[in-house]
Amino acid sequence: MEYILENGIVYDPKNHINGEKKDIYICDDKIVESVSTDAKRINVNGKLLMPGGVDLHSHIAGPKLSTGRLYRPEDIRRGIKPATSKIHGFEAGFSLPTCPTIGYRYTKMGYTTVTEAAVPPLEAKHAHEEINEIPNLDIPTLTLFGNNWFMLKYVKENNLEDLSIFISKWLKLARGYGIKIVNPCGSEAWGWGKNVHGLDDPEEHWNVTGREVIRALTQVNENLALPHSVHVHTNDLGHPGNYETTLETYECVKDIKKNKNVKRDQILHSTHIQFHSYAGTTWRDVTSAADELIDYINHNDHITFDIGQITFDETTTMTADAPTQYDLYKISGLKWANKDIEVETAAGLLPSIYSAKAPVSAFQWAIGLEFLLGVKDLEKMVLTTDSPNGGPFIRYPKIISWIMSNEKLNDMLDNEVHPWASNRTSLPSYDREYSWYEIAQITRSTPAKILGLEDRGHLGIGAKADISVYDINVDDFDPTCKNNSEVIEDKLLNALYTIKDGEVLVKDGEIIKTTPSRHIWTNVCGLEEKEEKLVEDIKPEFNRFYTIKYENYGVPEHYTKHEKRVDIKP
């Protein structure tokens, strides 16, 4: 099938196209230089046109979501919409939507690639089963290694060679795309009812520290030339004074050399930075430390990060940082679910109510915006809510309306949010307003580059034909006017067209077609013999540590029938 998207106003940062009126040519699943005279023409004259959205950090598949749906039935009753003739199920859920609903909502927003950011190896099969029920997306999964017993054993022995082989094999078993680290050593300590505090507090069983884990896995990541860097949720999430741990984490890997064969710039991606940027000693004297971290990021190129923006909603927090969730339970008294997964990781879930009138919520909201407005290089930063932790992903358009209009933001500071947002952060000092080009950077080109997915996030010749068009007449629309904020939110929630792999999936804000989602995973080539030897060495310990046998472990090939396998050589 051939298409011409005619006369759209195009924003494509990777190719330095900033609001040019031009045609986009599509042949089958690629963007091409020209098409035949028989090509179907779609007139998008003057409309906002970008590459398909890329979400670098979300939680959309796996055991946490399933547990959350079971213990929060009140959430699933929100956002119900009836089925249509084009979709095979109704929409349901707000912070914990059903699998089909996740696909529908991302697609209607113009997103085509979404990263599931935390999958335990043992439950990867479950995650990939759920991906098969999510339509219309390409989905890389990040595999949890930061508290895995085999990893801890190799780190204790300083055996990076076997650790590299282990990571390579376990990514294949889990059909994972990259390495995820969550509160390194903290969830292992949680198995004994404890936590670690800071990089150098060892967990008791292996006597290994978070610093040792992060350095070892970062070095392994570069040894293997994985397309994405290590993806790190640092220690001390949510604690006043935790920015010091965040800075130490960034510094502790600074000397590690990036593999020359990878296209990304960073060696460490820092997740939901808003939750890791607090100064002070208690919540009584807490202040924002965003300025210190922004200054560090502006002067160092080995770090990228995503925001974890708060959106003033009742949502669900879920994380493999189980001890943090227990802390929140003790503070809030809200119902709490805990999940331990063998000797790999743990998880906790809790409802969370972020209110604009609550001091801590307003403080957290403002810190995320400090980063969005303060970091200079937009190739280092990605818009996320750590969905659903800071708020559900359907709030991205609302956040975009805030950062495009200083008038809107000041109105919120003056009339809607608690004074902590002004008194304990630097947010009122910013007057920056984003352009559509910059929005395309933090939602398209930058997340694709950070993930190492070179075939998307842009509209160059040979790129995937993943495109979003919005019903905004760019030349006649002023996004800086606060009265247009609701228009931005509505139009970005309901794309005029979403095209994925050259197929029109959304027209006029409605799903008109569904396709199976694609599993994206990394296959390290050349280590197969070493991997098989390591497996034979591990099996006796595996059978001692786990309740299942090795032979029952891993994701069978038929679970990822629709896949994009990324073959790499170390």
Side-chain angles (χ1 to χ4, degrees), residues 171-172 175-177 519-523 563-566:
L171 286 176
K172 292 173 183 173
R175 295 292 196 268
Y177 185 70
H519 310 250
I520 303 180
W521 64 281
T522 301
N523 179 55
E563 68 172 33
K564 174 183 171 62
R565 192 180 78 184
V566 180

Side-chain angles (χ1 to χ4, degrees), residues 250-265:
Y250 298 170
E251 274 290 294
C252 87
V253 298
K254 191 175 180 179
D255 63 314
I256 295 175
K257 302 298 182 184
K258 181 175 72 72
N259 191 301
K260 63 181 180 181
N261 295 320
V262 298
K263 301 298 184 182
R264 56 178 160 80
D265 293 329

Side-chain angles (χ1 to χ4, degrees), residues 365-386:
W365 170 82
I367 290 177
L369 292 168
E370 284 184 284
F371 281 100
L372 283 163
L373 300 176
V375 169
K376 296 176 182 178
D377 185 352
L378 296 189
E379 291 195 354
K380 296 179 180 179
M381 177 172 61
V382 177
L383 172 61
T384 69
T385 59
D386 183 24

